[in-house]
Amino acid sequence: MASIEIITKEDLMAFKADLLKELTSLIQPQLKDERQWLKSREVRDLLGISAGTLQNLRINRKIKFTKIGGTVFYSNSDIKKLLTGEGEVM
């Protein structure tokens, strides 16, 4: 004869908490490896644009950037906003 198990709301909440904890532990190492700043070449590759187009985005203030010495850096989170279609990041 088959046994019947009753699952309560508390059981489901405990399962949810355990599942969330497991997923968070799997995702956290990937988040730590992600760099905060990207160089122009990386941004061009991600967006699939030319150096001139990236320069135009900077000139027209469509994208934030920071220049240190001769190197231009872009915030990784700003680039993700562009990729997800959240619009301009200026």
Side-chain angles (χ1 to χ4, degrees):
M1 192 181 289
S3 64
I4 298 175
E5 270 188 64
I6 298 176
I7 299 175
T8 65
K9 188 175 182 177
E10 289 79 22
D11 293 334
L12 290 174
M13 294 302 286
F15 173 74
K16 178 183 169 184
D18 289 343
L19 182 61
L20 185 59
K21 185 178 177 182
E22 283 288 325
L23 290 173
T24 302
S25 70
L26 291 173
I27 293 171
Q28 286 299 340
Q30 294 174 356
L31 293 177
K32 289 179 183 175
D33 290 341
E34 193 171 279
R35 295 190 347 243
Q36 183 179 359
W37 298 99
L38 301 172
K39 292 183 179 180
S40 293
R41 181 71 178 156
E42 296 164 313
V43 173
R44 291 194 325 259
D45 290 344
L46 283 172
L47 298 178
I49 59 176
S50 68
T53 301
L54 185 56
Q55 183 177 3
N56 283 332
L57 290 172
R58 287 194 310 264
I59 291 169
N60 295 321
R61 297 180 176 248
K62 304 281 185 189
I63 189 169
K64 291 185 209 175
F65 66 96
T66 301
K67 191 169 186 178
I68 301 174
T71 306
V72 179
F73 293 96
Y74 305 84
S75 169
N76 200 349
S77 61
D78 287 346
I79 301 307
K80 283 184 179 179
K81 286 179 188 175
L82 282 175
L83 288 171
T84 59
E86 292 181 30
E88 299 172 6
V89 292
M90 265 321 251

Coordinates of all heavy atoms in Angstrom, one line a residue:
M1 N 0.8 -1.2 0.0 CA 0.0 0.0 0.0 C 0.9 1.2 0.0 O 1.9 1.3 0.7 CB -0.9 0.0 1.2 CG -2.0 1.0 1.2 SD -3.0 1.1 2.6 CE -4.0 -0.4 2.5
A2 N 0.5 2.2 -0.8 CA 1.3 3.5 -0.9 C 1.1 4.3 0.4 O 0.0 4.5 0.8 CB 1.0 4.2 -2.1
S3 N 2.2 4.9 0.8 CA 2.1 5.8 2.0 C 1.9 7.2 1.5 O 2.4 7.6 0.4 CB 3.3 5.7 2.9 OG 4.4 6.1 2.2
I4 N 1.2 8.0 2.2 CA 0.9 9.3 1.9 C 1.7 10.3 2.8 O 1.6 10.1 4.0 CB -0.6 9.6 2.0 CG1 -1.4 8.7 1.0 CG2 -0.9 11.1 1.7 CD1 -2.9 8.8 1.1
E5 N 2.4 11.2 2.2 CA 3.1 12.2 3.0 C 2.4 13.6 2.8 O 2.1 13.9 1.7 CB 4.5 12.3 2.5 CG 5.5 11.4 3.2 CD 6.9 11.7 2.9 OE1 7.4 12.8 3.2 OE2 7.5 10.8 2.3
I6 N 2.2 14.3 3.9 CA 1.6 15.6 3.8 C 2.7 16.6 3.9 O 3.5 16.6 4.8 CB 0.6 15.8 4.9 CG1 -0.6 14.7 4.7 CG2 0.0 17.2 4.9 CD1 -1.6 14.7 5.8
I7 N 2.7 17.5 3.0 CA 3.7 18.6 3.0 C 3.0 19.9 3.4 O 2.0 20.3 2.9 CB 4.3 18.8 1.6 CG1 5.0 17.5 1.1 CG2 5.2 20.0 1.6 CD1 5.5 17.6 -0.3
T8 N 3.6 20.5 4.5 CA 3.0 21.7 5.0 C 3.6 22.9 4.4 O 4.6 22.9 3.7 CB 3.2 21.7 6.6 OG1 4.6 21.9 6.8 CG2 2.6 20.5 7.2
K9 N 3.0 24.1 4.7 CA 3.5 25.3 4.2 C 4.9 25.6 4.8 O 5.8 26.1 4.1 CB 2.5 26.4 4.6 CG 2.9 27.8 4.0 CD 1.8 28.8 4.4 CE 2.1 30.1 3.7 NZ 1.1 31.1 3.9
E10 N 5.1 25.2 6.1 CA 6.4 25.4 6.7 C 7.5 24.5 6.0 O 8.6 24.9 5.9 CB 6.3 25.0 8.2 CG 5.5 26.0 9.0 CD 4.0 25.8 8.9 OE1 3.5 24.7 8.5 OE2 3.3 26.8 9.2
D11 N 7.1 23.3 5.6 CA 8.0 22.5 4.8 C 8.4 23.1 3.5 O 9.6 23.1 3.2 CB 7.4 21.1 4.5 CG 7.1 20.2 5.7 OD1 7.8 20.4 6.7 OD2 6.2 19.4 5.7
L12 N 7.5 23.7 2.8 CA 7.8 24.4 1.6 C 8.7 25.6 1.8 O 9.6 25.9 1.1 CB 6.5 24.8 0.9 CG 5.7 23.7 0.3 CD1 4.4 24.2 -0.3 CD2 6.5 22.9 -0.8
M13 N 8.4 26.4 2.9 CA 9.2 27.5 3.2 C 10.7 27.1 3.6 O 11.6 27.8 3.2 CB 8.6 28.3 4.4 CG 7.3 29.0 4.0 SD 7.3 30.1 2.6 CE 8.2 31.5 3.3
A14 N 10.8 26.0 4.3 CA 12.1 25.5 4.6 C 12.9 25.1 3.4 O 14.1 25.4 3.2 CB 12.0 24.4 5.6
F15 N 12.1 24.4 2.5 CA 12.7 24.0 1.2 C 13.2 25.2 0.4 O 14.3 25.2 -0.2 CB 11.7 23.1 0.4 CG 12.2 22.8 -1.0 CD1 13.2 21.9 -1.2 CD2 11.7 23.4 -2.1 CE1 13.7 21.6 -2.5 CE2 12.1 23.2 -3.4 CZ 13.1 22.2 -3.6
K16 N 12.3 26.2 0.3 CA 12.7 27.4 -0.4 C 13.9 28.1 0.2 O 14.8 28.5 -0.6 CB 11.5 28.4 -0.3 CG 11.7 29.7 -1.0 CD 10.5 30.7 -0.7 CE 10.8 32.1 -1.2 NZ 9.7 33.0 -0.9
A17 N 14.0 28.2 1.5 CA 15.2 28.8 2.1 C 16.5 28.0 1.8 O 17.5 28.5 1.5 CB 15.0 28.9 3.6
D18 N 16.4 26.6 1.9 CA 17.5 25.8 1.5 C 17.9 25.9 0.1 O 19.1 26.0 -0.2 CB 17.2 24.3 1.8 CG 17.1 24.0 3.3 OD1 17.6 24.8 4.1 OD2 16.5 23.0 3.7
L19 N 16.9 26.0 -0.8 CA 17.2 26.1 -2.2 C 17.9 27.5 -2.5 O 18.9 27.5 -3.3 CB 15.9 26.0 -3.0 CG 16.1 26.0 -4.6 CD1 17.0 24.9 -5.1 CD2 14.7 25.9 -5.2
L20 N 17.4 28.5 -1.9 CA 17.9 29.8 -2.1 C 19.4 29.9 -1.6 O 20.3 30.5 -2.2 CB 17.1 30.9 -1.4 CG 17.5 32.3 -1.6 CD1 17.5 32.7 -3.1 CD2 16.6 33.3 -0.8
K21 N 19.6 29.3 -0.5 CA 21.0 29.2 0.1 C 21.9 28.5 -0.8 O 23.1 28.9 -1.1 CB 20.9 28.6 1.5 CG 22.2 28.6 2.2 CD 22.1 27.9 3.6 CE 23.4 27.8 4.3 NZ 23.3 27.2 5.6
E22 N 21.5 27.4 -1.4 CA 22.3 26.6 -2.3 C 22.6 27.4 -3.6 O 23.8 27.5 -4.0 CB 21.6 25.3 -2.7 CG 21.7 24.2 -1.7 CD 23.1 23.6 -1.5 OE1 23.8 23.5 -2.5 OE2 23.4 23.3 -0.4
L23 N 21.6 28.0 -4.2 CA 21.8 28.8 -5.4 C 22.7 30.0 -5.1 O 23.6 30.3 -6.0 CB 20.5 29.3 -5.9 CG 19.6 28.2 -6.5 CD1 18.2 28.8 -6.9 CD2 20.2 27.6 -7.7
T24 N 22.6 30.6 -4.0 CA 23.4 31.8 -3.7 C 24.9 31.3 -3.6 O 25.8 32.0 -4.0 CB 23.0 32.4 -2.4 OG1 21.6 32.9 -2.5 CG2 23.8 33.6 -2.0
S25 N 25.1 30.2 -2.9 CA 26.5 29.7 -2.8 C 27.1 29.3 -4.1 O 28.3 29.5 -4.3 CB 26.5 28.5 -1.8 OG 25.9 27.4 -2.4
L26 N 26.3 28.9 -5.1 CA 26.8 28.6 -6.4 C 27.1 29.9 -7.2 O 28.1 29.9 -8.0 CB 25.8 27.8 -7.2 CG 25.6 26.3 -6.7 CD1 24.4 25.7 -7.5 CD2 26.8 25.5 -6.9
I27 N 26.3 30.9 -7.0 CA 26.5 32.1 -7.8 C 27.5 33.0 -7.2 O 28.3 33.7 -8.0 CB 25.1 32.9 -7.9 CG1 24.1 32.1 -8.7 CG2 25.3 34.3 -8.4 CD1 22.7 32.6 -8.6
Q28 N 27.7 33.1 -6.0 CA 28.7 34.0 -5.3 C 30.1 33.9 -5.9 O 30.7 35.0 -6.1 CB 28.7 33.8 -3.8 CG 27.5 34.3 -3.1 CD 27.3 35.8 -3.2 OE1 28.2 36.6 -3.5 NE2 26.1 36.3 -3.0
P29 N 30.7 32.8 -6.1 CA 32.0 32.8 -6.6 C 32.1 33.4 -8.0 O 33.1 34.1 -8.3 CB 32.4 31.3 -6.7 CG 31.5 30.6 -5.7 CD 30.2 31.5 -5.7
Q30 N 31.1 33.3 -8.8 CA 31.1 33.9 -10.1 C 31.0 35.4 -10.0 O 31.7 36.2 -10.7 CB 29.9 33.4 -11.0 CG 30.1 32.0 -11.3 CD 28.8 31.5 -12.0 OE1 27.8 32.2 -12.2 NE2 28.8 30.2 -12.4
L31 N 30.3 35.9 -9.1 CA 30.1 37.4 -8.9 C 31.4 38.0 -8.4 O 31.8 39.1 -8.8 CB 29.0 37.7 -7.9 CG 27.6 37.3 -8.4 CD1 26.6 37.6 -7.3 CD2 27.2 38.1 -9.6
K32 N 32.2 37.3 -7.6 CA 33.4 37.8 -7.0 C 34.5 37.9 -8.1 O 35.3 38.8 -8.1 CB 33.9 36.9 -5.9 CG 33.1 37.1 -4.7 CD 33.6 36.2 -3.6 CE 32.7 36.2 -2.4 NZ 33.0 35.3 -1.3
D33 N 34.4 37.0 -9.1 CA 35.4 37.0 -10.2 C 35.2 38.1 -11.2 O 36.0 38.5 -12.0 CB 35.4 35.7 -10.9 CG 36.0 34.6 -10.0 OD1 36.7 34.9 -9.1 OD2 35.8 33.4 -10.3
E34 N 33.9 38.7 -11.2 CA 33.6 39.7 -12.2 C 34.3 41.0 -11.9 O 34.2 41.5 -10.8 CB 32.1 39.9 -12.2 CG 31.6 40.7 -13.3 CD 30.0 40.6 -13.3 OE1 29.5 39.6 -13.8 OE2 29.5 41.6 -12.8
R35 N 34.9 41.6 -12.9 CA 35.7 42.8 -12.7 C 34.7 44.0 -12.7 O 33.7 44.0 -13.4 CB 36.7 43.0 -13.7 CG 37.8 41.9 -13.6 CD 39.0 42.2 -14.5 NE 38.8 43.2 -15.5 CZ 38.9 43.0 -16.8 NH1 39.1 41.7 -17.3 NH2 38.8 43.9 -17.7
Q36 N 35.1 45.0 -11.9 CA 34.2 46.2 -11.9 C 34.4 47.1 -13.1 O 33.5 47.8 -13.5 CB 34.5 47.0 -10.6 CG 33.7 48.2 -10.4 CD 34.0 49.0 -9.1 OE1 34.8 48.6 -8.3 NE2 33.3 50.1 -8.9
W37 N 35.7 47.1 -13.6 CA 36.0 48.1 -14.7 C 36.4 47.3 -15.9 O 37.1 46.3 -15.8 CB 37.1 49.0 -14.3 CG 36.7 49.9 -13.1 CD1 37.0 49.7 -11.8 CD2 35.9 51.0 -13.2 NE1 36.4 50.7 -11.1 CE2 35.7 51.5 -11.9 CE3 35.3 51.7 -14.2 CZ2 35.0 52.7 -11.6 CZ3 34.5 52.9 -14.0 CH2 34.4 53.3 -12.6
L38 N 36.0 47.8 -17.1 CA 36.4 47.1 -18.4 C 37.1 48.2 -19.2 O 36.9 49.4 -19.2 CB 35.1 46.7 -19.1 CG 34.2 45.7 -18.4 CD1 33.0 45.5 -19.2 CD2 34.9 44.4 -18.2
K39 N 38.1 47.7 -20.0 CA 38.8 48.5 -21.0 C 38.0 48.7 -22.3 O 37.1 47.9 -22.5 CB 40.2 47.9 -21.2 CG 41.1 48.0 -20.0 CD 42.5 47.5 -20.4 CE 43.4 47.5 -19.2 NZ 44.7 47.0 -19.5
S40 N 38.4 49.6 -23.1 CA 37.7 49.9 -24.3 C 37.5 48.7 -25.2 O 36.5 48.5 -25.8 CB 38.4 51.0 -25.1 OG 38.3 52.2 -24.4
R41 N 38.6 47.9 -25.3 CA 38.6 46.8 -26.2 C 37.5 45.8 -25.8 O 36.7 45.2 -26.6 CB 39.9 46.1 -26.2 CG 40.0 44.9 -27.1 CD 40.0 45.3 -28.5 NE 40.1 44.2 -29.4 CZ 39.6 44.2 -30.6 NH1 39.0 45.2 -31.1 NH2 39.7 43.1 -31.4
E42 N 37.4 45.5 -24.5 CA 36.4 44.6 -23.9 C 35.0 45.1 -24.2 O 34.1 44.4 -24.5 CB 36.7 44.4 -22.4 CG 38.0 43.8 -22.1 CD 38.4 43.9 -20.7 OE1 38.3 45.0 -20.1 OE2 38.8 42.9 -20.1
V43 N 34.8 46.4 -24.0 CA 33.5 47.0 -24.2 C 33.1 46.9 -25.7 O 31.9 46.6 -26.0 CB 33.5 48.5 -23.7 CG1 32.2 49.2 -24.1 CG2 33.7 48.6 -22.2
R44 N 34.0 47.2 -26.6 CA 33.7 47.1 -28.0 C 33.3 45.7 -28.4 O 32.4 45.5 -29.2 CB 35.0 47.5 -28.8 CG 35.2 49.0 -28.7 CD 36.2 49.5 -29.8 NE 37.3 48.7 -30.2 CZ 38.5 48.7 -29.7 NH1 38.9 49.7 -28.9 NH2 39.4 47.9 -30.2
D45 N 34.0 44.7 -27.8 CA 33.7 43.3 -28.1 C 32.3 42.9 -27.5 O 31.6 42.3 -28.2 CB 34.8 42.4 -27.5 CG 36.1 42.5 -28.2 OD1 36.1 43.0 -29.4 OD2 37.1 42.0 -27.7
L46 N 32.0 43.4 -26.3 CA 30.7 43.1 -25.7 C 29.6 43.7 -26.5 O 28.6 43.1 -26.7 CB 30.7 43.6 -24.3 CG 31.4 42.7 -23.2 CD1 31.4 43.5 -21.9 CD2 30.7 41.4 -23.1
L47 N 29.8 45.0 -26.9 CA 28.7 45.7 -27.6 C 28.7 45.4 -29.1 O 27.7 45.8 -29.8 CB 28.8 47.2 -27.3 CG 28.6 47.6 -25.9 CD1 28.8 49.1 -25.7 CD2 27.3 47.2 -25.3
G48 N 29.8 44.9 -29.6 CA 29.9 44.6 -31.1 C 30.0 45.9 -31.9 O 29.3 46.0 -32.9
I49 N 30.7 46.9 -31.4 CA 30.9 48.2 -32.0 C 32.3 48.5 -32.3 O 33.2 47.8 -31.8 CB 30.3 49.3 -31.2 CG1 31.0 49.4 -29.8 CG2 28.8 49.1 -31.0 CD1 30.5 50.5 -28.9
S50 N 32.5 49.5 -33.2 CA 33.9 49.9 -33.6 C 34.4 50.9 -32.6 O 33.7 51.4 -31.7 CB 33.9 50.5 -34.9 OG 33.2 51.8 -34.9
A51 N 35.7 51.1 -32.7 CA 36.4 52.1 -31.8 C 35.8 53.5 -32.0 O 35.5 54.2 -31.0 CB 37.9 52.1 -32.1
G52 N 35.4 53.8 -33.2 CA 34.8 55.1 -33.6 C 33.5 55.3 -32.9 O 33.1 56.3 -32.4
T53 N 32.7 54.2 -33.0 CA 31.3 54.2 -32.4 C 31.4 54.4 -30.9 O 30.7 55.2 -30.3 CB 30.5 53.0 -32.7 OG1 30.4 52.9 -34.1 CG2 29.2 53.0 -32.1
L54 N 32.4 53.7 -30.3 CA 32.6 53.9 -28.8 C 33.0 55.3 -28.5 O 32.5 55.9 -27.5 CB 33.6 52.8 -28.3 CG 33.8 52.8 -26.8 CD1 32.5 52.5 -26.1 CD2 34.8 51.7 -26.5
Q55 N 33.9 55.8 -29.3 CA 34.3 57.2 -29.1 C 33.1 58.2 -29.2 O 33.0 59.1 -28.4 CB 35.4 57.6 -30.1 CG 35.9 59.0 -29.8 CD 37.1 59.3 -30.8 OE1 37.4 58.6 -31.6 NE2 37.6 60.5 -30.6
N56 N 32.2 58.0 -30.2 CA 31.1 58.8 -30.3 C 30.1 58.7 -29.1 O 29.5 59.7 -28.7 CB 30.3 58.4 -31.6 CG 31.0 59.0 -32.9 OD1 31.6 60.0 -32.8 ND2 30.8 58.3 -34.0
L57 N 30.0 57.5 -28.6 CA 29.2 57.3 -27.4 C 29.7 58.2 -26.2 O 29.0 58.8 -25.4 CB 29.1 55.9 -27.0 CG 28.3 55.0 -27.9 CD1 28.4 53.5 -27.5 CD2 26.8 55.4 -27.9
R58 N 31.1 58.2 -26.1 CA 31.7 59.0 -25.1 C 31.5 60.5 -25.3 O 31.1 61.2 -24.5 CB 33.2 58.7 -25.0 CG 33.6 57.4 -24.4 CD 35.0 57.3 -24.1 NE 35.9 57.7 -25.1 CZ 36.5 56.9 -26.0 NH1 36.3 55.6 -25.9 NH2 37.3 57.3 -26.9
I59 N 31.8 60.9 -26.6 CA 31.6 62.3 -26.9 C 30.2 62.9 -26.7 O 30.0 64.0 -26.2 CB 32.1 62.6 -28.4 CG1 33.6 62.3 -28.5 CG2 31.7 64.0 -28.9 CD1 34.1 62.3 -30.0
N60 N 29.2 62.1 -27.1 CA 27.8 62.4 -27.0 C 27.2 62.2 -25.6 O 26.0 62.3 -25.4 CB 27.0 61.8 -28.1 CG 27.4 62.2 -29.5 OD1 27.7 63.4 -29.7 ND2 27.5 61.3 -30.4
R61 N 28.1 61.8 -24.7 CA 27.7 61.5 -23.3 C 26.6 60.5 -23.2 O 25.7 60.6 -22.4 CB 27.3 62.8 -22.6 CG 28.5 63.7 -22.5 CD 28.0 65.0 -21.8 NE 29.2 65.9 -21.6 CZ 29.7 66.2 -20.4 NH1 29.2 65.6 -19.3 NH2 30.8 67.0 -20.4
K62 N 26.7 59.4 -24.0 CA 25.8 58.3 -24.0 C 26.2 57.2 -23.0 O 25.5 56.3 -22.7 CB 25.5 57.7 -25.3 CG 25.1 58.7 -26.4 CD 23.6 59.0 -26.2 CE 23.2 59.9 -27.4 NZ 21.9 60.4 -27.2
I63 N 27.5 57.3 -22.7 CA 28.1 56.2 -21.9 C 29.2 56.9 -20.9 O 29.9 57.8 -21.3 CB 28.8 55.1 -22.7 CG1 29.2 54.0 -21.9 CG2 29.9 55.7 -23.6 CD1 29.6 52.8 -22.8
K64 N 29.1 56.5 -19.7 CA 30.1 57.0 -18.7 C 31.5 56.3 -18.9 O 31.5 55.2 -19.3 CB 29.6 56.7 -17.3 CG 28.4 57.5 -16.8 CD 28.2 57.2 -15.4 CE 26.7 57.3 -15.0 NZ 26.5 56.9 -13.7
F65 N 32.5 57.1 -18.6 CA 33.8 56.5 -18.7 C 34.7 57.2 -17.7 O 34.4 58.3 -17.2 CB 34.4 56.6 -20.1 CG 34.6 58.0 -20.6 CD1 35.9 58.5 -20.5 CD2 33.6 58.7 -21.1 CE1 36.1 59.8 -20.9 CE2 33.8 60.0 -21.6 CZ 35.1 60.6 -21.5
T66 N 35.9 56.6 -17.4 CA 36.9 57.2 -16.6 C 38.2 57.0 -17.3 O 38.5 55.9 -17.8 CB 37.0 56.5 -15.2 OG1 35.7 56.6 -14.6 CG2 38.0 57.1 -14.3
K67 N 39.0 58.1 -17.4 CA 40.3 58.0 -18.1 C 41.4 58.1 -17.0 O 41.4 59.1 -16.3 CB 40.4 59.1 -19.1 CG 41.6 58.9 -20.0 CD 41.5 59.9 -21.2 CE 42.6 59.6 -22.2 NZ 42.5 60.4 -23.3
I68 N 42.2 57.1 -17.0 CA 43.4 57.1 -16.1 C 44.6 57.0 -17.0 O 44.8 56.0 -17.6 CB 43.3 56.0 -15.1 CG1 42.0 56.1 -14.2 CG2 44.5 56.0 -14.2 CD1 41.8 55.0 -13.3
G69 N 45.4 58.0 -16.9 CA 46.6 58.1 -17.8 C 46.0 58.1 -19.3 O 45.2 58.9 -19.6
G70 N 46.4 57.2 -20.1 CA 46.0 57.1 -21.4 C 44.9 56.0 -21.6 O 44.5 55.7 -22.7
T71 N 44.5 55.4 -20.5 CA 43.6 54.2 -20.6 C 42.2 54.7 -20.2 O 42.0 55.3 -19.2 CB 44.0 53.1 -19.8 OG1 45.4 52.7 -20.1 CG2 43.2 51.8 -20.0
V72 N 41.2 54.3 -21.0 CA 39.8 54.6 -20.7 C 39.1 53.3 -20.1 O 39.3 52.2 -20.7 CB 39.0 55.0 -22.0 CG1 37.6 55.3 -21.7 CG2 39.7 56.2 -22.6
F73 N 38.4 53.5 -19.0 CA 37.7 52.5 -18.3 C 36.2 52.7 -18.3 O 35.8 53.9 -18.2 CB 38.3 52.3 -16.9 CG 39.7 51.8 -16.8 CD1 40.7 52.8 -16.7 CD2 40.0 50.5 -16.9 CE1 42.0 52.4 -16.6 CE2 41.3 50.1 -16.8 CZ 42.3 51.0 -16.7
Y74 N 35.5 51.7 -18.3 CA 34.0 51.7 -18.3 C 33.5 50.8 -17.1 O 34.0 49.7 -16.9 CB 33.4 51.3 -19.6 CG 33.9 52.0 -20.8 CD1 35.1 51.6 -21.4 CD2 33.3 53.1 -21.3 CE1 35.6 52.3 -22.5 CE2 33.8 53.8 -22.4 CZ 35.0 53.4 -23.0 OH 35.5 54.0 -24.0
S75 N 32.5 51.3 -16.4 CA 31.9 50.5 -15.4 C 31.2 49.3 -16.0 O 30.4 49.4 -16.9 CB 30.9 51.3 -14.6 OG 30.1 50.5 -13.7
N76 N 31.5 48.1 -15.4 CA 30.9 46.9 -15.9 C 29.4 46.9 -15.7 O 28.6 46.5 -16.6 CB 31.5 45.7 -15.1 CG 31.3 44.4 -15.8 OD1 30.6 44.3 -16.8 ND2 31.9 43.4 -15.3
S77 N 28.9 47.5 -14.6 CA 27.4 47.6 -14.4 C 26.8 48.5 -15.4 O 25.7 48.2 -15.9 CB 27.1 48.1 -13.0 OG 27.6 49.4 -12.8
D78 N 27.4 49.6 -15.9 CA 26.9 50.5 -16.9 C 26.8 49.8 -18.2 O 25.8 49.9 -19.0 CB 27.8 51.7 -17.0 CG 27.6 52.7 -15.9 OD1 26.7 52.5 -15.1 OD2 28.5 53.6 -15.8
I79 N 27.8 49.0 -18.5 CA 27.8 48.2 -19.8 C 26.7 47.2 -19.8 O 26.0 47.0 -20.8 CB 29.1 47.6 -20.1 CG1 30.3 48.6 -20.1 CG2 29.1 46.7 -21.3 CD1 30.0 49.8 -21.1
K80 N 26.4 46.6 -18.6 CA 25.3 45.6 -18.5 C 24.0 46.3 -18.7 O 23.1 45.7 -19.3 CB 25.4 44.9 -17.2 CG 26.4 43.9 -17.1 CD 26.4 43.2 -15.7 CE 27.4 42.1 -15.7 NZ 27.4 41.4 -14.4
K81 N 23.9 47.5 -18.3 CA 22.6 48.3 -18.5 C 22.4 48.4 -20.0 O 21.3 48.3 -20.5 CB 22.7 49.6 -17.8 CG 22.5 49.5 -16.3 CD 22.6 50.9 -15.7 CE 22.6 50.8 -14.2 NZ 22.8 52.2 -13.6
L82 N 23.4 48.8 -20.7 CA 23.3 48.9 -22.2 C 22.9 47.6 -22.8 O 22.1 47.6 -23.7 CB 24.6 49.4 -22.8 CG 24.9 50.9 -22.6 CD1 26.3 51.2 -23.2 CD2 23.9 51.8 -23.3
L83 N 23.5 46.5 -22.4 CA 23.3 45.2 -23.0 C 21.8 44.7 -22.7 O 21.2 44.0 -23.5 CB 24.3 44.2 -22.5 CG 25.7 44.3 -23.0 CD1 26.6 43.4 -22.3 CD2 25.7 44.1 -24.5
T84 N 21.3 45.1 -21.5 CA 20.0 44.6 -21.2 C 18.9 45.6 -21.7 O 17.7 45.4 -21.5 CB 19.8 44.5 -19.6 OG1 20.1 45.8 -19.0 CG2 20.7 43.4 -19.1
G85 N 19.3 46.6 -22.4 CA 18.3 47.5 -23.0 C 17.8 48.6 -22.0 O 16.7 49.1 -22.3
E86 N 18.4 48.8 -20.9 CA 18.0 49.8 -20.0 C 18.3 51.2 -20.4 O 18.1 52.2 -19.7 CB 18.6 49.5 -18.6 CG 18.1 48.3 -17.9 CD 18.6 48.0 -16.6 OE1 18.9 49.0 -15.9 OE2 18.8 46.9 -16.2
G87 N 18.8 51.3 -21.6 CA 19.0 52.7 -22.2 C 20.4 53.2 -22.0 O 21.3 52.5 -21.6
E88 N 20.5 54.5 -22.1 CA 21.7 55.2 -21.9 C 22.1 55.2 -20.5 O 21.3 55.1 -19.6 CB 21.6 56.7 -22.4 CG 21.2 56.8 -23.9 CD 20.9 58.2 -24.3 OE1 21.0 59.1 -23.5 OE2 20.5 58.4 -25.4
V89 N 23.4 55.3 -20.2 CA 23.9 55.2 -18.9 C 24.5 56.6 -18.4 O 25.3 56.6 -17.5 CB 24.9 54.1 -18.7 CG1 24.2 52.7 -18.8 CG2 26.1 54.2 -19.7
M90 N 24.1 57.6 -19.1 CA 24.6 59.0 -18.7 C 23.5 59.7 -18.0 O 22.4 59.7 -18.2 CB 25.1 59.8 -19.8 CG 26.6 59.7 -20.1 SD 27.7 59.7 -18.7 CE 28.4 61.2 -18.8

